Amino acid sequence: MAELSKTVLEIAGVNRIYSDDVNNTVEALSDISLDVERGEFVTFIGSSGCGKTTLLRLIAGLDVPQSGKLLLDGKPIHGTNPNRGYVVQQGGLFPWLDVWHNIAYGLKVRGLYSKRKAEVAKYINLIGLEGFEKSYPHQISGGMAQRVAIARALINEPELLLLDEPMGALDSFTRADIQDKLLELRKGSGATMLLVTHDVDEAIYLSDRIFIMTPRPGKIKDILTVDFPHPRHRGGAEFLSLRRDILERLELASAKPQPEYQI
Amino acid sequence: MANKEISNLKFALGILLTIAGFVIAIIVNIAVPQVADVNIKEYEYFGRLYNFNDLYRYIVLCIIAIFVVIGVFSYFDEDKRKKYVKKAPFRFALGLALALWDVLGTKYLLLPQPFFPGPAAIVETFLNEPAFVLENTLYSLRLYAAGFTVGVIFGVGSGILIGWFPKVYYWVSPILKITGVIPAVAWMPFALTLAPTPFSAAVFLMTMCAWFPIASFTAQGVQSTAKVHFEVAKTLGANTAQLVFRVAIPHAMPQIFGGIAMANGFMFTTLVMSEMMGQPGGLGYYIQLSRVWSAYYKVFAAIVIMAVLFSIILAVISAVQHRVLRWQKGLVK
Ligand SMILES: Nc1ncnc2c1ncn2[C@@H]1O[C@H](COP(=O)(O)OP(=O)(O)OP(=O)(O)O)[C@@H](O)[C@H]1O
Ligand SMILES: [Mg+2]
């Protein structure tokens, strides 16, 4: 295998503009440039509509930008690939498959199921859902469903795991539980993780770097490095001061006057 | 909860009530003298003589046995127990009705003949020409199996194409909609002259009548698949064929079964109609033949066989449906 560079994902000058039938345009992403290192955990945070999902969809290969480039390991991203796992905002489990077969889906479609069947059980163990293998998505809780969605993406052993608010609708206990699972999983697999969240605490708890985004047009406003060691104490002084810092920056971003929208 | 449970005593009474009506029917058949002048023929089977009253009693006995067996199986399930007890009065009345019909239709012959034969006269059909009845029943069954298979494969297959490819939808769906309003049997003259055999003509007609419901439901199911499921499947490594077979089709399964259930009714109708008009066999053919001879008891016999046969087919389809769609909310207990 060729020497892998430190940078796994390289995004340069990416623009994504949506336009509807009545010629209204939304600049969902404007001139986005960023690099992500191998094994890094980065978080995108920002108010609703600032283009976080749009960015993840571009990286997943489900959408293409109007301009700019996206490189994975130095190669342009073309379409989807199982080496980029994507957990969508609402989980998106297949309701017609039970937990076992949802998780096994990636192996099945890639023709690896018969060889690597045992791994399904391993991932079910990992997310703590033993005994629920035969349950269908409507029979399990929201938190369990999110864990299944994450396991389903992980079984392909992706280089890059894209997580779009995987804990959006969960209570704080389940959240903390999944957060710890994610850190554990990263340690085990060495995967690079890109997380979208609205939760500042979650961002600080998990990330190596935090990207603060602003809407209309969607831009990256700030990049903060979180360098204190895991496990991070949510009540610690460093934690709280960083938290205040981020909240101020977010508030500033949303309070920014927007003359172009004045009538 | 507790007060709603069916006690063992009440359940036992339920079984007794269920079979009581049929027991009465047998007693009435034995005890009430044959007043009207009816020629009761004896038929020899397995070295013994039987008349229609014997067979009638055996059949009622079979019905009793079936209800007892159902009762035994229901015993272990609270829901089924409730259902069974609830149905008991109706089944009791059914037995009484049989007894009354026996008296009016056979013993006293008060019903207008030959249009309303008694129950024993109807079952005489099975003594009279059992091999011929069986032959025609098997013909219907074979025709149904062929028509159903071809109809479902064609309907689901074309439905998937219509649902998946906008071009196919554009060109085919208007034709599909038109065939939906034309009763398939209207094509009978063409089918009979153009198809190589009457059998294949009937298969064609059944396919035609099944096409609209199955194909349009299937297409709808495919089209309504959520975009997010396609996208998730793609990121997990699915290719286009897998998006069809491992996303769109499983998603469309409830609609596919809805379409099949609807088409099934049409197919029964088309089957019998085509048998009555130009098949060399089948229950419809048997009805037609018996009508010509004014043997209305045979017509009734054929109708009874149809009722039983089609009910069994529906039960099988619904069992398969429950199995395949067990992932659906509300279907799993
Ligand atoms: N398919 C689309 N067509 C038109 N506009 C779109 C489309 N998808 C997103 N947008 C617009 O692009 C902008 C960014 O959307 P995006 O979904 O990326 O936001 P987000 O940051 O993920 O928001 P949230 O936190 O609510 O999920 C929004 O203004 C949205 O209205
Ligand atoms: Mg979003």
Side-chain angles (χ1 to χ4, degrees), chain A residues 93-104 132-137 139-140 148, chain B residues 326-327:
Chain A
L93 293 186
F94 302 118
W96 55 87
L97 296 178
D98 59 21
V99 165
W100 176 281
H101 289 94
N102 259 290
I103 294 176
F132 289 93
E133 290 87 349
K134 291 199 165 73
S135 298
Y136 286 96
Q139 297 170 308
I140 59 177
V148 174
Chain B
R326 64 191 184 285
W327 54 271

Short mmCIF file of all heavy atoms in Angstrom, two decimals, chain A residues 93-104 132-137 139-140 148, chain B residues 326-327:
data_model
loop_
_atom_site.label_atom_id
_atom_site.label_comp_id
_atom_site.label_asym_id
_atom_site.label_seq_id
_atom_site.Cartn_x
_atom_site.Cartn_y
_atom_site.Cartn_z
N LEU A 93 -33.13 3.89 8.95
CA LEU A 93 -33.11 2.43 8.94
C LEU A 93 -34.15 1.92 7.95
O LEU A 93 -35.17 2.57 7.72
CB LEU A 93 -33.43 1.88 10.33
CG LEU A 93 -32.41 2.15 11.43
CD1 LEU A 93 -32.81 1.42 12.69
CD2 LEU A 93 -31.01 1.74 11.00
N PHE A 94 -33.89 0.75 7.38
CA PHE A 94 -34.86 0.14 6.48
C PHE A 94 -35.94 -0.54 7.32
O PHE A 94 -35.64 -1.50 8.03
CB PHE A 94 -34.19 -0.90 5.57
CG PHE A 94 -33.08 -0.33 4.74
CD1 PHE A 94 -31.78 -0.79 4.87
CD2 PHE A 94 -33.33 0.68 3.81
CE1 PHE A 94 -30.74 -0.26 4.10
CE2 PHE A 94 -32.31 1.22 3.04
CZ PHE A 94 -31.01 0.74 3.19
N PRO A 95 -37.17 -0.08 7.26
CA PRO A 95 -38.21 -0.63 8.16
C PRO A 95 -38.52 -2.09 7.87
O PRO A 95 -39.04 -2.78 8.73
CB PRO A 95 -39.43 0.26 7.89
CG PRO A 95 -39.18 0.91 6.58
CD PRO A 95 -37.70 1.02 6.42
N TRP A 96 -38.20 -2.57 6.66
CA TRP A 96 -38.54 -3.95 6.31
C TRP A 96 -37.46 -4.95 6.75
O TRP A 96 -37.62 -6.14 6.54
CB TRP A 96 -38.80 -4.08 4.81
CG TRP A 96 -37.66 -3.60 3.96
CD1 TRP A 96 -36.57 -4.32 3.56
CD2 TRP A 96 -37.49 -2.30 3.41
NE1 TRP A 96 -35.74 -3.55 2.80
CE2 TRP A 96 -36.26 -2.30 2.69
CE3 TRP A 96 -38.24 -1.11 3.47
CZ2 TRP A 96 -35.80 -1.16 2.04
CZ3 TRP A 96 -37.77 -0.01 2.80
CH2 TRP A 96 -36.56 -0.04 2.10
N LEU A 97 -36.36 -4.44 7.30
CA LEU A 97 -35.31 -5.35 7.76
C LEU A 97 -35.19 -5.27 9.28
O LEU A 97 -35.34 -4.19 9.86
CB LEU A 97 -33.97 -4.97 7.13
CG LEU A 97 -33.85 -5.09 5.62
CD1 LEU A 97 -32.47 -4.62 5.16
CD2 LEU A 97 -34.09 -6.53 5.18
N ASP A 98 -34.91 -6.41 9.91
CA ASP A 98 -34.71 -6.38 11.36
C ASP A 98 -33.31 -5.81 11.66
O ASP A 98 -32.54 -5.52 10.75
CB ASP A 98 -34.93 -7.77 11.98
CG ASP A 98 -34.01 -8.83 11.40
OD1 ASP A 98 -32.96 -8.46 10.84
OD2 ASP A 98 -34.32 -10.03 11.51
N VAL A 99 -33.03 -5.65 12.94
CA VAL A 99 -31.77 -5.03 13.36
C VAL A 99 -30.58 -5.74 12.72
O VAL A 99 -29.70 -5.12 12.14
CB VAL A 99 -31.66 -5.05 14.90
CG1 VAL A 99 -30.25 -4.76 15.35
CG2 VAL A 99 -32.64 -4.04 15.51
N TRP A 100 -30.60 -7.06 12.81
CA TRP A 100 -29.48 -7.84 12.25
C TRP A 100 -29.27 -7.52 10.77
O TRP A 100 -28.16 -7.23 10.34
CB TRP A 100 -29.75 -9.34 12.43
CG TRP A 100 -28.72 -10.21 11.80
CD1 TRP A 100 -28.60 -10.53 10.48
CD2 TRP A 100 -27.60 -10.84 12.46
NE1 TRP A 100 -27.51 -11.33 10.27
CE2 TRP A 100 -26.88 -11.54 11.48
CE3 TRP A 100 -27.17 -10.90 13.79
CZ2 TRP A 100 -25.74 -12.27 11.77
CZ3 TRP A 100 -26.04 -11.64 14.08
CH2 TRP A 100 -25.34 -12.31 13.08
N HIS A 101 -30.35 -7.55 10.00
CA HIS A 101 -30.20 -7.37 8.55
C HIS A 101 -29.98 -5.92 8.15
O HIS A 101 -29.42 -5.65 7.10
CB HIS A 101 -31.39 -8.00 7.83
CG HIS A 101 -31.36 -9.49 7.89
ND1 HIS A 101 -32.03 -10.20 8.85
CD2 HIS A 101 -30.67 -10.40 7.15
CE1 HIS A 101 -31.78 -11.49 8.69
NE2 HIS A 101 -30.96 -11.64 7.66
N ASN A 102 -30.42 -4.98 8.99
CA ASN A 102 -30.05 -3.59 8.73
C ASN A 102 -28.55 -3.43 8.83
O ASN A 102 -27.92 -2.82 7.97
CB ASN A 102 -30.75 -2.66 9.73
CG ASN A 102 -31.97 -1.97 9.12
OD1 ASN A 102 -31.85 -1.12 8.26
ND2 ASN A 102 -33.15 -2.38 9.56
N ILE A 103 -27.98 -3.99 9.90
CA ILE A 103 -26.54 -3.86 10.09
C ILE A 103 -25.78 -4.63 9.02
O ILE A 103 -24.74 -4.19 8.52
CB ILE A 103 -26.15 -4.32 11.51
CG1 ILE A 103 -26.77 -3.37 12.54
CG2 ILE A 103 -24.64 -4.38 11.68
CD1 ILE A 103 -26.54 -3.76 13.98
N ALA A 104 -26.33 -5.77 8.61
CA ALA A 104 -25.63 -6.60 7.62
C ALA A 104 -25.76 -6.06 6.20
O ALA A 104 -25.13 -6.59 5.28
CB ALA A 104 -26.20 -8.02 7.68
N PHE A 132 -31.79 -8.09 20.49
CA PHE A 132 -32.72 -7.33 19.65
C PHE A 132 -32.48 -7.60 18.17
O PHE A 132 -32.98 -6.87 17.32
CB PHE A 132 -32.58 -5.83 19.93
CG PHE A 132 -33.12 -5.43 21.26
CD1 PHE A 132 -32.30 -5.37 22.38
CD2 PHE A 132 -34.47 -5.13 21.42
CE1 PHE A 132 -32.79 -5.02 23.61
CE2 PHE A 132 -34.97 -4.78 22.65
CZ PHE A 132 -34.14 -4.73 23.75
N GLU A 133 -31.71 -8.65 17.87
CA GLU A 133 -31.35 -8.93 16.48
C GLU A 133 -32.57 -9.05 15.59
O GLU A 133 -32.57 -8.62 14.45
CB GLU A 133 -30.56 -10.26 16.38
CG GLU A 133 -29.16 -10.22 16.96
CD GLU A 133 -29.14 -10.52 18.45
OE1 GLU A 133 -30.23 -10.56 19.08
OE2 GLU A 133 -28.04 -10.70 19.01
N LYS A 134 -33.62 -9.65 16.12
CA LYS A 134 -34.79 -9.93 15.29
C LYS A 134 -35.87 -8.86 15.41
O LYS A 134 -36.96 -9.01 14.88
CB LYS A 134 -35.38 -11.30 15.68
CG LYS A 134 -34.47 -12.45 15.28
CD LYS A 134 -35.24 -13.76 15.24
CE LYS A 134 -34.48 -14.85 14.52
NZ LYS A 134 -33.33 -15.35 15.29
N SER A 135 -35.56 -7.76 16.12
CA SER A 135 -36.55 -6.68 16.25
C SER A 135 -36.54 -5.83 15.00
O SER A 135 -35.49 -5.60 14.39
CB SER A 135 -36.22 -5.80 17.45
OG SER A 135 -36.29 -6.56 18.62
N TYR A 136 -37.71 -5.34 14.65
CA TYR A 136 -37.81 -4.43 13.52
C TYR A 136 -37.70 -2.99 14.01
O TYR A 136 -37.99 -2.71 15.18
CB TYR A 136 -39.13 -4.66 12.78
CG TYR A 136 -39.07 -5.95 11.99
CD1 TYR A 136 -39.58 -7.13 12.51
CD2 TYR A 136 -38.44 -5.98 10.76
CE1 TYR A 136 -39.48 -8.31 11.81
CE2 TYR A 136 -38.33 -7.16 10.05
CZ TYR A 136 -38.85 -8.32 10.57
OH TYR A 136 -38.73 -9.48 9.89
N PRO A 137 -37.29 -2.06 13.11
CA PRO A 137 -37.06 -0.68 13.54
C PRO A 137 -38.20 -0.07 14.36
O PRO A 137 -37.94 0.67 15.30
CB PRO A 137 -36.83 0.06 12.23
CG PRO A 137 -36.16 -0.96 11.37
CD PRO A 137 -36.82 -2.27 11.73
N GLN A 139 -39.95 -1.41 16.43
CA GLN A 139 -40.07 -2.04 17.75
C GLN A 139 -38.98 -1.61 18.72
O GLN A 139 -38.97 -2.04 19.86
CB GLN A 139 -40.02 -3.56 17.60
CG GLN A 139 -41.18 -4.12 16.80
CD GLN A 139 -40.99 -5.58 16.47
OE1 GLN A 139 -39.96 -5.97 15.95
NE2 GLN A 139 -41.98 -6.38 16.78
N ILE A 140 -38.02 -0.79 18.25
CA ILE A 140 -36.95 -0.37 19.14
C ILE A 140 -37.03 1.13 19.37
O ILE A 140 -37.71 1.84 18.64
CB ILE A 140 -35.56 -0.77 18.58
CG1 ILE A 140 -35.32 -0.13 17.21
CG2 ILE A 140 -35.42 -2.28 18.51
CD1 ILE A 140 -33.95 -0.43 16.62
N VAL A 148 -28.07 1.52 15.84
CA VAL A 148 -28.09 0.57 14.71
C VAL A 148 -27.61 1.27 13.44
O VAL A 148 -26.82 0.72 12.68
CB VAL A 148 -29.51 -0.01 14.49
CG1 VAL A 148 -29.54 -0.87 13.24
CG2 VAL A 148 -29.95 -0.82 15.70
N ARG B 326 -44.31 -9.05 8.05
CA ARG B 326 -44.30 -9.03 9.51
C ARG B 326 -43.53 -7.85 10.06
O ARG B 326 -43.62 -7.54 11.24
CB ARG B 326 -43.74 -10.35 10.05
CG ARG B 326 -42.31 -10.61 9.69
CD ARG B 326 -41.95 -12.06 10.03
NE ARG B 326 -40.56 -12.34 9.80
CZ ARG B 326 -40.02 -12.50 8.60
NH1 ARG B 326 -40.77 -12.40 7.53
NH2 ARG B 326 -38.74 -12.75 8.46
N TRP B 327 -42.78 -7.15 9.20
CA TRP B 327 -42.03 -5.98 9.66
C TRP B 327 -42.92 -4.76 9.84
O TRP B 327 -42.52 -3.77 10.43
CB TRP B 327 -40.91 -5.65 8.68
CG TRP B 327 -41.37 -5.48 7.25
CD1 TRP B 327 -41.45 -6.47 6.31
CD2 TRP B 327 -41.77 -4.28 6.59
NE1 TRP B 327 -41.89 -5.95 5.12
CE2 TRP B 327 -42.10 -4.61 5.26
CE3 TRP B 327 -41.90 -2.95 7.00
CZ2 TRP B 327 -42.53 -3.67 4.33
CZ3 TRP B 327 -42.34 -2.01 6.08
CH2 TRP B 327 -42.64 -2.37 4.76
#
